[in-house]
Amino acid sequence: VTSDGGKTWTKSNAGMPETAATHIILDPESPVDARVLYVAGFGRGVYKSVDGGKSWTLKNQGITQVDPMAWRLVRDSKGTLYLLVARRSEDGSIGNSGDGALYRSTDGAESWQPVAMPARANAPNGLAIDAASPNRMYLATWARAVGMHGEGGGVYLSEDAGKSWKPILSADQHVYDVTIDAKNPDTIYAAGFESSAWRSTDRGAHWTRIPGYNFKWGYRVIPDPLDAGKIYITTFGGSVW
């Protein structure tokens, strides 16, 4: 934790053993002097703090995976939490203990309920939720090793909070993340690992490749919050575009 803008840092992980913390989110409605925080602990599950990170408690009730590879956490505008659990298997199999998973919590991570994954998909990578319509969710997935290009990857849309899904981007089967433009939720971005980043201006109905970007390992497309005409694309090893 830093209280001076990053000049100095203090370890603040009581109750959390050495953990690969892959993601941390803050409940913006929690009081400033007792911030509620959630951490995705890779291979451990979800940790929660109610005292601004001073102490942590593991919150895995309802999560069925052994040593769950907790990967990402998302909080919607109503306070519902979603957890993405990474896939363990890389042999193309599905429907077994190597599958990734998606979970939902409506009680601040005290309990979790499974959310059905799209058909043929078992590797959730990123989740974006429309702030004005929290039932509308975009899920980025990673393909299984089937055939020449894989299957089960791309971007999927749910309009009923994960009860059902439909594929909306399949041209890239290895999508790392999906982003909603905070100022214009009609605009969606997706970053792939197949030398492509994508833009949709009609909430995912149609997609076009973003010209000029051609690095293979894309991480995330980030819209500039002050300049509507500017975006940034972060990568694994290929700088920032």
Side-chain angles (χ1 to χ4, degrees), residues 123-139:
N125 257 2
L127 180 68
I129 304 174
D130 191 312
S133 305
N135 284 348
R136 187 176 182 89
M137 310 194 308
Y138 303 89
L139 181 68

Side-chain angles (χ1 to χ4, degrees), residues 63 65 68-71 83-87 99-103 122 124:
I63 299 173
Q65 282 81 5
M69 296 167 70
W71 176 240
L83 167 68
L84 281 66
V85 177
R87 179 178 68 197
D99 285 355
L102 183 62
Y103 286 93
N122 70 347

Side-chain angles (χ1 to χ4, degrees), residues 20-161:
T22 55
H23 202 199
I24 182 169
I25 63 172
L26 179 149
D27 180 351
E29 298 178 3
S30 59
V32 175
D33 58 350
R35 285 300 197 190
V36 174
L37 300 160
Y38 304 93
V39 160
F42 204 68
R44 296 192 185 275
V46 178
Y47 287 94
K48 179 179 180 179
S49 173
V50 295
D51 55 11
K54 295 182 179 67
S55 61
W56 298 88
T57 305
L58 191 63
K59 299 290 185 179
N60 283 356
Q61 182 177 328
I63 299 173
T64 60
Q65 282 81 5
V66 177
D67 301 326
M69 296 167 70
W71 176 240
R72 286 289 182 270
L73 288 159
V74 180
R75 183 183 184 274
D76 73 12
S77 56
K78 293 183 177 180
T80 299
L81 296 172
Y82 290 87
L83 167 68
L84 281 66
V85 177
R87 179 178 68 197
R88 289 182 181 273
S89 62
E90 291 298 336
D91 57 5
S93 62
I94 192 170
N96 54 48
S97 60
D99 285 355
L102 183 62
Y103 286 93
R104 176 192 293 114
S105 175
T106 57
D107 57 7
E110 296 303 315
S111 63
W112 297 92
Q113 300 78 43
V115 177
M117 288 281 292
R120 297 184 297 278
N122 70 347
N125 257 2
L127 180 68
I129 304 174
D130 191 312
S133 305
N135 284 348
R136 187 176 182 89
M137 310 194 308
Y138 303 89
L139 181 68
T141 64
W142 199 261
R144 295 182 292 112
V146 177
M148 182 174 293
H149 298 290
E151 94 175 14
V155 178
Y156 292 84
L157 168 67
S158 175
E159 297 177 279
D160 52 16

